[in-house]
Amino acid sequence: MKRLLIANRGEIAVRIIRAARDLGIETVAVASDADRDAAHARLADTVISVGPAPAAKSYLRAEGIVAAAREAGADAVHPGYGFLSERADFAAAVAAAGLTFVGPDAQVIDQMGDKVRARQVAMAAGVPTVPGTADGVSDVSAAVAAAAEIGYPVMLKAAAGGGGRGIRVVSDEAELRAAFPTASGEAASAFGDGRMYLERFIRSARHVEVQVLGDGSHAIHVFERECSLQRRRQKVIEEAPAPGIDADIRAAMTSAAVRLCQQVGYRSAGTCEFLVDDHTGEFFFIEMNTRIQVEHPVTELITGIDLVAEQLRIAAGEPLSFHQTDVTKRGHAIEFRICAEDPDRGFLPGPGSIQHVELPGGPWVRTDTWLAPGSAVSPFYDSLVAKVIVWGDDRPSALRRARRALGEFVVEGVPTTTGLLTEIIDEPWFASGEFDTGTLEDWLQQRTKPGEAGATR
Amino acid sequence: MPRHEVLAPIPGVFYRRPDPGSPEYVKPGQTVTADDTVGLVEVMKSFHPVLAGVAGTVVDFAVEGESVVDPGQPVVILEVEG
């Protein structure tokens, strides 16, 4: 691997360019018309224009990206996260052009990207899954029969979906009969596949995921991440190790993830997501992400492993350079996602131009961002502008450092969620690590109540 | 009858229909209430409905579907009573 094209933008493109450069690999950025002066375009050795600002006309055009890679003489393509990263047809097109795709083979992306098939793989590997349908269900009567066996409350998910879209929870048969046709219709129009997957909904669950690395022959885990704090199924704060879960449960979960990867001969970095029942301690596999995750830095900070560099080495054909016993962790790391959104206006996205920016720094503080004075937060892409990641000897010291780091973060020109994240650090439930996947939404609802009363005066 | 311009509340991409397979939210000649949705603006991967704001009759769209709009830019023209 001599020249890598990064098929992405924003902080992850910057992150990948840096990893490649650390390995002595030349970098090629792609940029839409809106991103000509963006950080990733400035940082890379070469930039190729890939079309107009809307992602559908630039970053999501697989054939345009492959053509850019050829034009630039790249021999490998890293997809980042989002955009084309989990499109099996993109991975196949890259390979068909004679280039290396930094990720698993198209066939594995296909297999693990389909929730129904991924669940079958898990069952075959002896990994526990949430009680639910083995196959996608396409009509109401089959759904009602399946739900009776699973037990309510039941969650409906698009078999071909992703990113939390189209998920519904129903608490009885009447609700299921009402919700199924709409949910299935939406899935059909969004993904071209109306099949729905039904599963038990766990009232108090933590979302914990295991980072894995595989070279096709061997697979190892790089511990877990706690990702329960979510708003509209988008993660807000992530940390490693996972607080509030016994060490033996975490050990069982990480070895389950390794079994799952060995089952498919997984090659690259990946993440196995689990739900952990807060009351019973049971864990259930939910899905696998066959790409680098937004929250990968917390794992890097507790283990000292550069996960993107490992992805690149594996893609270049090298075997894993360490054994499971070589992977050790130290201390505690927490990531805060800073978005250009206004929490006091229903998280309304606020595109605009950055007038002034000061980034946190100092010991054990890492800021992954593309922000710079004069840069523009475009209305065309997602609202993530920075990730502030801190490390500490233990969770309390990491929290103190987080408060310090977020206090140093200044952005003028667009609204951000920084103040809200600082408020969360001071909440007793966060300090004690006592939260589940519903905690943040509940807290946000209570928080907005006084403001709403004030607005109606 | 006076005209009322429905303005884009935020910058982004204006859509006349809820999804590519559905009809447009409104068509010329149709009456709307203040709470009716007349279009969507997509900004940073989230979709925000554009409400008519006043009751009236749709004259026409002021912009094409999938066009880039600025905040305060007229997107739909209504005729209102009085």
Side-chain angles (χ1 to χ4, degrees):
Chain A
M1 194 182 297
K2 292 198 167 56
R3 191 176 292 169
L4 176 74
L5 179 133
I6 297 96
N8 216 297
R9 65 178 304 282
E11 66 86 19
I12 194 63
V14 170
R15 165 76 186 86
I16 296 163
I17 290 168
R18 287 181 170 147
R21 202 159 271 169
D22 286 348
L23 293 174
I25 299 168
E26 289 175 31
T27 54
V28 181
V30 291
S32 72
D33 294 347
D35 275 342
R36 283 193 185 126
D37 299 319
H40 72 284
R42 291 198 310 270
L43 202 56
D45 299 314
T46 321
V47 190
I48 307 279
S49 284
V50 286
K57 293 173 182 170
S58 49
Y59 298 108
L60 284 168
R61 276 188 60 243
E63 65 279 21
I65 302 286
V66 173
R70 283 186 151 156
E71 181 189 334
D75 53 10
V77 175
H78 194 306
Y81 56 65
F83 292 132
L84 298 166
S85 62
E86 288 180 285
R87 295 259 190 97
D89 53 352
F90 178 62
V94 170
L99 312 174
T100 301
F101 179 75
V102 182
D105 294 341
Q107 167 258 327
V108 172
I109 297 176
D110 220 10
Q111 184 177 23
M112 301 314 283
D114 184 306
K115 291 190 180 75
V116 175
R117 289 171 67 197
R119 193 179 153 87
Q120 288 163 352
V121 170
M123 286 174 173
V127 174
T129 55
V130 185
T133 51
D135 293 303
V137 171
S138 46
D139 69 89
V140 170
S141 56
V144 167
E149 273 198 22
I150 293 163
Y152 291 94
V154 161
M155 179 153 69
L156 293 178
K157 295 202 256 185
R165 282 172 300 172
I167 292 181
R168 275 151 214 246
V169 176
V170 293
S171 44
D172 54 37
E173 187 179 319
E175 282 187 28
L176 175 61
R177 285 186 183 277
F180 190 89
T182 332
S184 177
E186 280 178 15
S189 73
F191 309 115
D193 181 354
R195 289 181 308 151
M196 302 300 286
Y197 176 52
L198 279 72
E199 68 177 31
R200 170 92 56 80
F201 179 65
I202 299 159
R203 286 274 176 222
S204 177
R206 286 180 185 264
H207 178 128
V208 181
E209 58 187 30
V210 176
Q211 176 68 55
V212 292
L213 287 172
D215 62 11
S217 314
H218 299 95
I220 59 168
H221 73 81
V222 196
F223 302 106
E224 79 287 344
R225 291 185 287 262
E226 148 63 57
C227 307
S228 300
L229 293 179
Q230 304 185 6
R231 178 182 168 272
R232 297 197 174 170
R233 300 191 179 272
Q234 294 293 316
K235 295 163 190 164
V236 175
I237 299 174
E238 306 97 338
E239 54 187 295
I245 298 176
D246 292 345
D248 56 335
I249 296 171
R250 284 186 275 144
M253 201 170 2
T254 48
S255 44
V258 170
R259 284 204 302 281
L260 216 149
C261 291
Q262 278 163 345
Q263 185 75 24
V264 292
Y266 195 79
R267 195 164 161 272
S268 191
T271 300
C272 297
E273 297 194 341
F274 294 90
L275 280 183
V276 182
D277 188 318
D278 231 4
H279 299 302
T280 64
E282 291 171 281
F283 63 86
F284 307 104
F285 169 76
I286 41 176
E287 65 177 27
M288 181 164 191
N289 298 316
T290 55
R291 51 168 165 83
I292 196 75
Q293 302 269 112
V294 176
E295 59 273 21
H296 75 276
V298 293
T299 301
E300 297 183 324
L301 291 196
I302 62 163
T303 61
I305 293 172
D306 182 332
L307 292 169
V308 177
E310 288 305 318
Q311 275 191 305
L312 294 172
R313 286 197 192 98
I314 294 165
E318 293 178 34
L320 284 175
S321 54
F322 40 78
H323 299 284
Q324 186 67 68
T325 48
D326 300 325
V327 181
T328 57
K329 62 182 171 185
R330 190 168 155 252
H332 198 93
I334 314 180
E335 173 181 278
F336 297 83
R337 297 193 191 190
I338 297 178
C339 295
E341 295 173 0
D342 188 345
D344 295 327
R345 292 175 69 201
F347 291 85
L348 188 70
S353 131
I354 303 295
Q355 284 133 36
H356 180 74
V357 55
E358 281 178 47
L359 301 177
W364 322 128
V365 174
R366 167 172 161 185
T367 306
D368 281 17
T369 185
W370 50 271
L371 284 174
S375 57
V377 179
S378 160
F380 296 103
Y381 313 113
D382 78 32
S383 59
L384 182 71
V385 295
K387 306 186 307 202
V388 174
I389 313 108
V390 298
W391 180 90
D393 292 325
D394 52 19
R395 195 167 184 272
S397 60
L399 286 177
R400 277 196 302 278
R401 184 161 286 132
R403 200 175 287 116
R404 188 265 287 174
L406 291 178
E408 289 175 11
F409 192 91
V410 178
V411 175
E412 286 167 18
V414 297
T416 74
T417 52
T418 315
L420 183 87
L421 295 169
T422 310
E423 266 180 64
I424 294 173
I425 297 175
D426 290 330
E427 284 297 312
W429 51 262
F430 184 62
S432 63
E434 286 164 18
F435 49 80
D436 62 31
T437 52
T439 305
L440 183 63
E441 297 251 11
D442 291 347
W443 177 76
L444 283 169
Q445 263 186 344
Q446 297 202 331
R447 180 181 175 271
T448 51
K449 270 177 192 156
E452 279 172 5
T456 54
R457 271 195 305 237
Chain B
M1 281 199 289
R3 292 199 162 195
H4 173 83
E5 294 180 333
V6 183
L7 309 178
I10 41 175
V13 177
F14 179 77
Y15 293 92
R16 293 181 172 194
R17 24 183 123 236
D19 59 74
S22 300
E24 295 180 347
Y25 279 104
V26 292
K27 48 184 184 293
Q30 184 180 335
T31 57
V32 292
T33 69
D35 293 332
D36 282 345
T37 298
V38 298
L40 290 178
V41 174
E42 180 189 13
V43 58
M44 297 164 116
K45 290 163 79 179
S46 68
F47 289 87
H48 300 265
V50 181
L51 304 182
V54 296
T57 305
V58 175
V59 177
D60 206 354
F61 284 101
V63 291
E64 288 299 316
E66 296 187 41
S67 54
V68 177
V69 294
D70 291 321
Q73 182 177 340
V75 291
V76 173
I77 312 294
L78 303 177
E79 251 173 15
V80 293
E81 292 295 329

